[in-house]
Amino acid sequence: MGQSEGTIGFDEGDVEERFIRSSGPGGQNVNKVATAVQLRFDVRNSRSLTEGVRERLIRLAGKRVTGEGVLVIEASRFRTRERNRRDARDRLVQWLEKAAAPVKPRRKTRPTAGSRERRLEGKQLRSETKRVRKPVSPSGD
């Protein structure tokens, strides 16, 4: 990965920002000022991401990624464009960092003797409960 330690790099050409009106309450201001930011990051065609990071990001972001492989982040937490813009970019960086973290391989473990014992005891108790519930046969064993 051609990135320095602790920093996440992305190509500005892969990012598109649009200013939109925020949804929800807010009075007159919210209806006329486009302060919310919709940031679109082209994950599929980004040259700054490695193949592994790209696949992980698409999988992690789930429904936030469009069919064309564009990650859409909407930021409308703040009242100013600049702060929403910074918020959207910070969230993009968080997504990228999460996707860049290598997946830790799962180590197979075996159940402990104690847990096995507890499981079997539980099964025996359940079996006894069900046996007691059964109707007694009339033949009188």
Side-chain angles (χ1 to χ4, degrees):
M1 281 198 217
Q3 295 157 352
S4 61
E5 192 62 40
T7 60
I8 295 287
F10 58 87
D11 198 336
E12 286 294 324
D14 297 334
V15 176
E16 179 194 327
E17 288 175 329
R18 234 185 262 145
F19 296 100
I20 54 176
R21 288 203 298 261
S22 297
S23 61
Q28 291 175 2
N29 191 59
V30 83
N31 297 328
K32 56 185 188 190
V33 184
T35 53
V37 176
Q38 185 184 66
L39 184 142
R40 300 169 74 84
F41 179 69
D42 193 349
V43 181
R44 189 141 309 136
N45 301 317
S46 173
R47 294 170 302 285
S48 54
L49 300 180
T50 62
E51 197 54 47
V53 172
R54 182 177 298 133
E55 293 305 315
R56 277 201 297 275
L57 181 56
I58 289 173
R59 201 170 58 247
L60 274 171
K63 65 180 192 292
R64 288 182 186 85
V65 176
T66 65
E68 296 84 54
V70 177
L71 172 64
V72 178
I73 297 172
E74 286 196 9
S76 58
R77 228 184 297 183
F78 303 105
R79 278 189 72 150
T80 63
R81 269 186 185 193
E82 205 37 60
R83 285 182 69 188
N84 279 330
R85 195 165 168 239
R86 201 169 329 126
D87 182 36
R89 283 176 176 258
D90 289 347
R91 288 191 351 228
L92 173 61
V93 169
Q94 282 173 1
W95 278 112
L96 290 168
E97 281 171 352
K98 208 189 267 184
V103 182
K104 202 168 78 177
R106 183 195 182 295
R107 270 206 204 91
K108 283 186 178 177
T109 58
R110 306 185 75 178
T112 61
S115 72
R116 240 189 247 126
E117 195 63 43
R118 284 191 298 275
R119 185 178 123 260
L120 293 175
E121 278 173 23
K123 285 166 91 70
Q124 275 180 341
L125 283 170
R126 170 62 72 206
S127 166
E128 183 60 24
T129 305
K130 289 189 170 200
R131 193 185 63 76
V132 170
R133 282 190 200 144
K134 281 186 180 171
V136 182
S137 60
S139 62
D141 294 308

